[in-house]
Amino acid sequence: MAVDYAVIVLYLAGMLAMGWWGMRRAKSKSDFLVAGRRLGPVMYSGTMAAIVLGGASTIGGVGLGYQYGLSGAWMVFTIGLGLLALSVFFSARIARLKVYTVSEMLDLRYGGSAGIISGVVMWAYTLMLAVTSTIAYATIFDVLFGMDRTLSIVLGGAIVVAYSTLGGMWSITLTDMVQFVVKTIGVLLLLLPIAVIKAGGFAAMKAQLPDDYFAPLGIGGQTVFTYVLIYSFGMLIGQDIWQRVFTARGDKVARLGGTAAGTYCLAYALAGAVIGTAAKVLYPHLGSPDDAFATIVKDALPVGVRGLVLAAALSAVMSTSSGALIACATVANNDIWARVKSVAARRRPSAEEAADAGGAPGTEQAGDAAEEHDEVRGNRIFILLMGLAVIVIAIALNNVVEALTLAYNVLVGGLLVPILGGLLWKRGTAAGALASVAVGGLTVVGLMVSLGVLANEPIYYGLIASLVAYVVVSLATKPTDPEVLAAWRARLAGRPDGAADEDPEEEATGDTAVAVARVLTPSSVTGRA
């Protein structure tokens, strides 16, 4: 294993080096949180594929293939479908909003009153997503080095926290591109063909396994439907996914790059299921389906290649973990802490007031530079704090599937309806959004407590309750202020200054939209205190 160890150690050292290099590029809040909003199609599609295909998609996807055959691809397949839907129908509008968090989008759409509650829900989701990814280090490092579970979590988590804290989204983007290449080579180009050949080819696999292993819905139609609700819809609204959309250089990059990433996910889903099916032929009596990936890698691959494929699994876990971590820290800082601080703190004098008081020339520029520096430092501190919290929680928890299901159920049950409603239905109101978040979230949590975390019913009834609450309360309350909607339409159209539309109705409110957009930009949109 010496050669394999060397490959892994070099890979981990490279991740830290990328973090150090990314630190030199993170000069502003935009650089640190969304990579300056200037990723091109290649970088964008690679990093988007890396963030959505984590340990659950790699190790779990192979495990589902081992347990159910080709239909085990459905979990990762629905992730790809969700990413395709996001890219084709919503990504261009999301990118034009020029915000940093999902809660800021809700503030802009509903007039600044829906963000704090949604921020708490989104923070809980991203925290649990980061925790589940961090727990996966225990499995990988145990296979690699026979490490203790706690030490494995601390080592893997510390590396991710280190490079994420140093360079923010720039570091994460650079490491994700490396991870995307490693995953593609390790899983698709090496492990997939070798596994099929070792199992004797598709004909031999089909002869040795039950027909259900090759049925499209062998995993069960209800399971597939639940996957669509949780994972496909989860892709539409997750902060970790939206934050990647915000990194796109423009509308076309977000749409085309995301479509390429979604298509890649579909291929990755099928590859994982085929590898798992081959593992079932080779090792029919494993203690757990999740052992299939590590077992086939350890026994079927030659020296050096084995290290690269294990590095691919490590890449999958790290990409999701780092993306969830920066999303968690961004929400905690910009959506929760900044709002609490703004309520408690006194309002700072504006630049004009400073000038009236005799401020020296250049004070405004110096103040802006200092503010940007403070924002980078503040977000860096929050990544470090959230990273430490994630490591501690990961050590305390054992069940990855339950933690991941809890995270996605709360996210989709609480936030799907108000987010998509805000994008698609202009009659939706702030009161309706708040009612939807509260009713949907409480319904999901209550049913998970009574029926079990892994039950299908919580997400079904949670979504129904959320939708009913949103529609009924929105229709029963006063419509959203036309000035707020005018500013919202201006942002969706890519005019942050609120310039008037060609539409006569919007032209009539153009001047007001300018004013509202300017009012919203410093606080509700940028998240500054």
Side-chain angles (χ1 to χ4, degrees):
M1 292 287 288
V3 176
D4 297 321
Y5 291 162
V7 171
I8 298 296
V9 171
L10 287 173
Y11 169 76
L12 295 176
M15 295 300 98
L16 291 174
M18 290 287 186
W20 182 262
W21 190 81
M23 181 177 66
R24 301 174 60 186
R25 302 198 64 171
K27 304 294 185 182
S28 66
K29 179 180 179 180
S30 177
D31 288 335
F32 193 82
L33 294 183
V34 290
R37 305 187 194 275
R38 55 178 183 266
L39 295 191
V42 175
M43 291 280 283
Y44 178 85
S45 59
T47 57
M48 182 63 88
I51 178 98
V52 301
L53 296 174
S57 300
T58 304
I59 299 172
V62 171
L64 287 172
Y66 182 89
Q67 188 173 3
Y68 298 105
L70 298 186
S71 65
W74 272 108
M75 185 187 77
V76 184
F77 204 82
T78 55
I79 290 175
L81 292 178
L83 186 53
L84 285 171
L86 174 71
S87 302
V88 172
F89 299 113
F90 300 108
S91 63
R93 285 187 284 178
I94 292 171
R96 287 196 294 265
L97 289 174
K98 302 296 183 186
V99 295
Y100 292 105
T101 68
V102 174
S103 296
E104 289 174 16
M105 167 263 171
L106 291 173
D107 272 353
L108 183 64
R109 167 60 180 82
Y110 294 112
S113 59
I116 185 65
I117 296 178
S118 63
V120 172
V121 174
M122 189 64 74
W123 173 79
Y125 155 72
T126 53
L127 180 71
M128 293 308 297
L129 185 61
V131 166
T132 57
S133 301
T134 304
I135 292 174
Y137 295 128
T139 301
I140 297 173
F141 281 110
D142 177 55
V143 173
L144 290 174
F145 309 114
M147 277 187 181
D148 173 73
R149 178 182 184 275
T150 299
L151 182 59
S152 299
I153 290 173
V154 171
L155 176 61
I159 293 172
V160 169
V161 171
Y163 72 70
S164 300
T165 302
L166 286 173
M169 187 59 82
W170 267 121
S171 292
I172 292 171
T173 297
L174 295 171
T175 55
D176 277 359
M177 277 305 299
V178 174
Q179 290 158 358
F180 171 74
V181 172
V182 170
K183 276 193 292 193
T184 300
I185 295 174
V187 176
L188 295 183
L189 301 183
L190 293 176
L191 183 57
L192 174 61
I194 291 174
V196 172
I197 291 172
K198 289 279 186 179
F202 284 103
M205 290 164 59
K206 196 164 186 179
Q208 296 183 52
L209 295 173
D211 291 340
D212 287 348
Y213 268 72
F214 301 91
L217 294 177
I219 198 171
Q222 187 180 25
T223 300
V224 173
F225 180 64
T226 303
Y227 283 160
V228 170
L229 290 182
I230 294 177
Y231 297 114
S232 295
F233 287 148
M235 290 297 104
L236 299 180
I237 59 175
Q239 169 66 26
D240 52 325
I241 309 302
W242 277 41
Q243 199 156 344
R244 293 310 173 96
V245 176
F246 300 150
T247 65
R249 189 167 59 203
D251 300 357
K252 291 183 178 179
V253 170
R255 184 182 296 110
L256 297 179
T259 301
T263 304
Y264 178 90
C265 291
L266 302 183
Y268 199 88
L270 186 58
V274 171
I275 292 168
T277 305
K280 183 66 175 179
V281 173
L282 295 170
Y283 318 101
H285 304 297
L286 291 179
S288 169
D290 286 341
D291 293 337
F293 180 86
T295 302
I296 196 169
V297 168
K298 200 169 184 179
D299 293 348
L301 299 183
V303 173
V305 174
R306 180 171 50 204
L308 181 62
V309 174
L310 288 173
L314 197 58
S315 297
V317 175
M318 283 187 161
S319 57
T320 300
S321 181
S322 59
L325 177 59
I326 193 172
C328 178
T330 301
V331 171
N333 188 18
N334 292 273
D335 291 338
I336 300 175
W337 173 244
R339 295 167 192 268
V340 172
K341 187 172 65 172
S342 67
V343 172
R346 292 182 179 179
R347 179 177 175 271
R348 291 183 180 180
S350 66
E352 292 181 1
E353 291 170 338
D356 292 340
T363 301
E364 182 178 348
Q365 289 83 352
D368 290 343
E371 185 178 5
E372 285 289 353
H373 176 73
D374 287 341
E375 286 179 335
V376 171
R377 184 169 67 90
N379 282 289
R380 191 171 275 139
I381 290 172
F382 266 86
I383 289 180
L384 179 60
L385 292 176
M386 292 299 105
L388 293 175
V390 164
I391 291 173
V392 171
I393 297 172
I395 292 172
L397 292 180
N398 287 315
N399 196 314
V400 180
V401 175
E402 287 193 0
L404 188 64
T405 303
L406 174 64
Y408 270 98
N409 277 355
V410 172
L411 171 73
V412 175
L415 291 181
L416 177 69
V417 171
I419 291 174
L420 293 188
L423 289 169
L424 301 174
W425 190 41
K426 68 178 181 180
R427 185 59 181 83
T429 67
L434 292 173
S436 178
V437 172
V439 172
L442 291 175
T443 301
V444 165
V445 172
L447 289 175
M448 282 193 293
V449 170
S450 61
L451 301 177
V453 174
L454 298 180
N456 291 325
E457 289 81 4
I459 191 61
Y460 298 164
Y461 294 115
L463 277 174
I464 293 172
S466 180
L467 178 60
V468 171
Y470 182 69
V471 173
V472 171
V473 176
S474 292
L475 293 176
T477 53
K478 183 180 177 182
T480 304
D481 192 325
E483 296 175 352
V484 172
L485 287 177
W488 165 253
R489 287 193 293 268
R491 294 297 287 260
L492 280 179
R495 297 187 305 278
D497 60 350
D501 268 334
E502 294 180 1
D503 181 76
E505 180 182 351
E506 294 189 13
E507 284 184 358
T509 59
D511 293 337
T512 308
V514 173
V516 173
R518 287 174 177 168
V519 170
L520 288 173
T521 298
S523 55
S524 300
V525 176
T526 65
R528 297 177 186 171

